[in-house]
Amino acid sequence: MSESHNHEERDGNGVPAPRDEGGEVIGVRRGMFGANNGGDTSGYGGLVRTVALPGAASRPYGGWFDEVADELEGALEEQDLLPANAIEKAVVDRGELTFHIAREHLVPVARTLRDDPALRFELCTGVSGVHYPGDKGRELHVVYHLRSITHGRLIRLEVSAPDSDPHVPSLVPVYPTNDWHERETYDFFGLVFDGHPALTRIMMPDDWQGFPQRKDYPLGGIAVEYKGAQIPAPDQRRSYS
Protein backbone atom coordinates (compact mmCIF):
# COMPACT_ATOMS: atom_id res chain seq x y z
CA MET A 1 0.00 0.00 0.00
CA SER A 2 1.51 3.33 -1.03
CA GLU A 3 2.43 5.99 1.48
CA SER A 4 0.96 9.45 1.27
CA HIS A 5 2.27 12.76 2.51
CA ASN A 6 0.89 16.25 2.30
CA HIS A 7 2.63 19.34 3.68
CA GLU A 8 0.09 21.84 2.37
CA GLU A 9 -1.82 23.99 4.81
CA ARG A 10 -5.39 24.68 3.72
CA ASP A 11 -7.97 27.24 4.69
CA GLY A 12 -11.53 26.48 5.76
CA ASN A 13 -12.60 25.99 2.15
CA GLY A 14 -9.92 23.38 1.44
CA VAL A 15 -7.94 25.78 -0.76
CA PRO A 16 -4.12 25.51 -0.55
CA ALA A 17 -2.60 28.26 1.55
CA PRO A 18 -0.72 30.96 -0.36
CA ARG A 19 3.02 30.45 -0.75
CA ASP A 20 5.19 32.20 1.82
CA GLU A 21 6.61 35.56 0.80
CA GLY A 22 10.11 34.31 1.58
CA GLY A 23 12.39 32.48 -0.81
CA GLU A 24 14.90 33.74 -3.30
CA VAL A 25 13.77 36.74 -5.36
CA ILE A 26 15.16 36.60 -8.90
CA GLY A 27 13.17 39.35 -10.60
CA VAL A 28 10.03 41.43 -10.95
CA ARG A 29 7.45 40.65 -13.64
CA ARG A 30 5.37 43.45 -15.08
CA GLY A 31 2.14 42.63 -16.90
CA MET A 32 0.42 39.28 -17.15
CA PHE A 33 3.15 37.57 -19.19
CA GLY A 34 6.20 39.75 -18.62
CA ALA A 35 6.20 40.82 -22.26
CA ASN A 36 7.97 44.02 -23.26
CA ASN A 37 7.33 46.59 -26.00
CA GLY A 38 3.54 46.24 -26.05
CA GLY A 39 3.43 42.47 -26.41
CA ASP A 40 1.04 41.93 -23.50
CA THR A 41 -2.50 42.00 -24.92
CA SER A 42 -4.11 40.54 -21.78
CA GLY A 43 -5.34 43.85 -20.36
CA TYR A 44 -3.22 43.37 -17.21
CA GLY A 45 -0.30 45.53 -18.28
CA GLY A 46 -0.19 47.28 -14.90
CA LEU A 47 0.27 44.09 -12.90
CA VAL A 48 3.54 43.94 -10.93
CA ARG A 49 4.60 40.65 -9.39
CA THR A 50 7.75 39.47 -7.65
CA VAL A 51 9.37 36.36 -9.13
CA ALA A 52 10.77 34.22 -6.31
CA LEU A 53 12.05 30.66 -6.06
CA PRO A 54 11.33 28.67 -2.87
CA GLY A 55 14.19 28.77 -0.39
CA ALA A 56 15.99 25.85 1.20
CA ALA A 57 14.02 23.92 3.81
CA SER A 58 15.37 23.18 7.28
CA ARG A 59 15.11 19.93 9.21
CA PRO A 60 12.87 18.26 10.07
CA TYR A 61 11.19 18.15 6.68
CA GLY A 62 8.41 15.95 8.02
CA GLY A 63 7.13 12.45 7.34
CA TRP A 64 9.08 10.24 4.97
CA PHE A 65 10.92 13.23 3.49
CA ASP A 66 13.52 12.96 6.27
CA GLU A 67 13.85 9.20 5.70
CA VAL A 68 14.65 9.74 2.02
CA ALA A 69 17.10 12.56 2.76
CA ASP A 70 18.89 10.52 5.45
CA GLU A 71 19.17 7.44 3.26
CA LEU A 72 20.39 9.42 0.25
CA GLU A 73 23.05 11.23 2.26
CA GLY A 74 24.22 7.99 3.89
CA ALA A 75 24.40 6.17 0.56
CA LEU A 76 26.44 8.98 -1.01
CA GLU A 77 28.87 8.93 1.92
CA GLU A 78 29.37 5.20 1.37
CA GLN A 79 30.54 6.11 -2.14
CA ASP A 80 32.98 8.69 -0.73
CA LEU A 81 30.84 11.51 -2.12
CA LEU A 82 30.17 14.30 0.36
CA PRO A 83 26.43 15.03 0.41
CA ALA A 84 27.12 18.76 0.81
CA ASN A 85 29.02 18.74 -2.49
CA ALA A 86 26.30 16.87 -4.38
CA ILE A 87 23.13 18.31 -2.82
CA GLU A 88 23.04 22.09 -3.07
CA LYS A 89 19.80 22.35 -1.12
CA ALA A 90 16.58 20.54 -0.32
CA VAL A 91 13.30 22.38 -0.88
CA VAL A 92 9.92 21.45 0.62
CA ASP A 93 7.21 23.43 -1.12
CA ARG A 94 3.58 22.74 -1.99
CA GLY A 95 3.80 19.26 -0.50
CA GLU A 96 6.75 18.27 -2.69
CA LEU A 97 10.38 17.44 -1.90
CA THR A 98 12.98 18.66 -4.38
CA PHE A 99 16.72 18.06 -4.19
CA HIS A 100 18.81 20.63 -6.05
CA ILE A 101 21.82 18.70 -7.34
CA ALA A 102 25.18 19.99 -8.60
CA ARG A 103 25.22 19.02 -12.25
CA GLU A 104 28.60 17.27 -12.09
CA HIS A 105 27.16 14.86 -9.50
CA LEU A 106 23.78 14.29 -11.13
CA VAL A 107 24.48 10.81 -12.53
CA PRO A 108 25.75 9.17 -9.30
CA VAL A 109 22.93 10.77 -7.30
CA ALA A 110 20.30 9.49 -9.75
CA ARG A 111 21.84 6.03 -9.82
CA THR A 112 21.86 5.94 -6.02
CA LEU A 113 18.21 6.96 -5.88
CA ARG A 114 17.37 4.20 -8.34
CA ASP A 115 19.42 1.35 -6.87
CA ASP A 116 19.46 1.83 -3.09
CA PRO A 117 16.91 -0.64 -1.60
CA ALA A 118 15.59 1.95 0.85
CA LEU A 119 15.06 4.49 -1.94
CA ARG A 120 14.23 2.59 -5.14
CA PHE A 121 13.11 5.47 -7.35
CA GLU A 122 12.87 3.17 -10.34
CA LEU A 123 11.00 5.47 -12.70
CA CYS A 124 11.71 8.91 -14.11
CA THR A 125 8.37 10.12 -15.41
CA GLY A 126 9.65 13.18 -17.26
CA VAL A 127 12.26 15.84 -17.84
CA SER A 128 11.20 19.49 -17.79
CA GLY A 129 13.18 22.55 -18.81
CA VAL A 130 12.71 25.98 -17.21
CA HIS A 131 14.25 29.30 -18.18
CA TYR A 132 14.71 32.04 -15.57
CA PRO A 133 16.52 34.93 -17.31
CA GLY A 134 16.76 36.75 -13.98
CA ASP A 135 18.47 33.86 -12.19
CA LYS A 136 21.96 35.04 -13.08
CA GLY A 137 24.56 32.33 -13.56
CA ARG A 138 21.96 29.54 -13.51
CA GLU A 139 19.35 30.72 -15.97
CA LEU A 140 18.50 27.23 -17.24
CA HIS A 141 16.99 24.61 -14.96
CA VAL A 142 16.24 20.95 -15.58
CA VAL A 143 13.66 19.18 -13.41
CA TYR A 144 13.37 15.39 -13.12
CA HIS A 145 10.28 13.74 -11.64
CA LEU A 146 11.21 10.47 -9.92
CA ARG A 147 8.74 7.91 -8.66
CA SER A 148 9.32 4.93 -6.38
CA ILE A 149 6.90 2.20 -7.31
CA THR A 150 8.30 0.07 -4.50
CA HIS A 151 7.66 2.62 -1.75
CA GLY A 152 4.90 4.71 -3.33
CA ARG A 153 6.84 7.99 -3.19
CA LEU A 154 7.46 10.91 -5.53
CA ILE A 155 10.35 13.39 -5.43
CA ARG A 156 12.02 15.79 -7.83
CA LEU A 157 15.61 16.57 -8.75
CA GLU A 158 16.55 19.98 -10.08
CA VAL A 159 19.79 20.97 -11.79
CA SER A 160 20.81 24.40 -13.05
CA ALA A 161 23.22 25.65 -15.70
CA PRO A 162 24.10 29.10 -17.06
CA ASP A 163 23.01 30.32 -20.48
CA SER A 164 26.68 30.56 -21.40
CA ASP A 165 27.33 26.87 -20.60
CA PRO A 166 24.04 24.97 -21.03
CA HIS A 167 25.48 21.50 -20.39
CA VAL A 168 23.99 18.83 -18.11
CA PRO A 169 24.95 15.12 -17.98
CA SER A 170 22.51 12.80 -19.70
CA LEU A 171 20.53 10.42 -17.48
CA VAL A 172 19.73 8.03 -20.32
CA PRO A 173 22.23 5.45 -18.92
CA VAL A 174 20.26 5.50 -15.64
CA TYR A 175 16.73 6.03 -16.97
CA PRO A 176 16.61 4.92 -20.65
CA THR A 177 13.17 6.48 -21.27
CA ASN A 178 14.78 9.90 -20.78
CA ASP A 179 16.05 9.55 -24.35
CA TRP A 180 12.95 11.26 -25.76
CA HIS A 181 12.43 13.66 -22.86
CA GLU A 182 15.98 15.00 -23.07
CA ARG A 183 15.65 15.49 -26.81
CA GLU A 184 12.48 17.53 -26.31
CA THR A 185 14.11 19.65 -23.59
CA TYR A 186 17.12 20.23 -25.84
CA ASP A 187 14.82 21.15 -28.73
CA PHE A 188 12.82 23.75 -26.81
CA PHE A 189 15.38 25.12 -24.32
CA GLY A 190 18.79 24.49 -25.87
CA LEU A 191 19.99 22.41 -22.92
CA VAL A 192 22.77 20.08 -24.04
CA PHE A 193 22.70 16.65 -22.39
CA ASP A 194 26.25 15.37 -22.53
CA GLY A 195 26.46 11.66 -23.27
CA HIS A 196 23.02 11.42 -24.88
CA PRO A 197 23.09 8.74 -27.63
CA ALA A 198 21.49 10.94 -30.33
CA LEU A 199 20.75 14.50 -29.22
CA THR A 200 18.78 15.91 -32.17
CA ARG A 201 15.61 17.96 -32.47
CA ILE A 202 12.41 16.01 -31.98
CA MET A 203 9.66 18.61 -32.60
CA MET A 204 11.12 21.55 -34.54
CA PRO A 205 12.72 21.34 -38.02
CA ASP A 206 16.40 20.39 -37.91
CA ASP A 207 17.51 23.80 -39.19
CA TRP A 208 15.28 25.84 -36.84
CA GLN A 209 17.09 28.78 -35.28
CA GLY A 210 16.75 29.29 -31.54
CA PHE A 211 14.84 27.57 -28.77
CA PRO A 212 11.17 28.58 -28.64
CA GLN A 213 10.41 27.97 -24.95
CA ARG A 214 13.11 30.25 -23.62
CA LYS A 215 11.71 33.39 -22.03
CA ASP A 216 13.79 35.64 -24.30
CA TYR A 217 12.41 34.04 -27.47
CA PRO A 218 10.18 36.48 -29.42
CA LEU A 219 6.44 35.96 -28.90
CA GLY A 220 5.47 36.58 -32.52
CA GLY A 221 6.59 37.73 -35.93
CA ILE A 222 8.82 34.68 -36.35
CA ALA A 223 9.16 33.56 -39.96
CA VAL A 224 8.23 29.87 -40.06
CA GLU A 225 9.00 27.35 -42.78
CA TYR A 226 5.55 25.88 -43.14
CA LYS A 227 4.37 26.96 -46.61
CA GLY A 228 6.03 30.36 -46.14
CA ALA A 229 3.57 31.48 -43.45
CA GLN A 230 4.43 34.15 -40.89
CA ILE A 231 3.01 34.63 -37.40
CA PRO A 232 2.19 38.30 -36.65
CA ALA A 233 3.51 39.85 -33.47
CA PRO A 234 1.01 39.86 -30.55
CA ASP A 235 0.43 43.62 -30.66
CA GLN A 236 -0.56 43.29 -34.33
CA ARG A 237 -3.17 40.60 -33.79
CA ARG A 238 -5.74 42.44 -31.69
CA SER A 239 -6.09 45.48 -29.50
CA TYR A 240 -7.99 46.09 -26.26
CA SER A 241 -7.46 49.83 -26.17
Side-chain angles (χ1 to χ4, degrees), residues 186-210:
Y186 160 72
D187 196 357
F188 288 150
F189 290 91
L191 279 148
V192 179
F193 294 92
D194 296 328
H196 189 283
L199 194 63
T200 57
R201 289 194 184 272
I202 193 171
M203 302 289 285
M204 308 299 291
D206 291 339
D207 56 352
W208 189 268
Q209 299 297 313

Side-chain angles (χ1 to χ4, degrees), residues 153-175:
R153 295 169 172 174
L154 178 67
I155 65 171
R156 301 192 305 170
L157 301 183
E158 189 162 339
V159 179
S160 61
D163 273 340
S164 58
D165 182 26
H167 289 263
V168 174
S170 173
L171 284 188
V172 171
V174 182
Y175 297 108

Side-chain angles (χ1 to χ4, degrees), residues 65-88:
F65 288 1
D66 290 283
E67 298 173 26
V68 170
D70 290 341
E71 184 63 33
L72 175 59
E73 291 174 4
L76 293 177
E77 289 175 346
E78 291 175 359
Q79 303 171 54
D80 295 324
L81 179 57
L82 289 176
N85 292 339
I87 304 173
E88 296 176 341

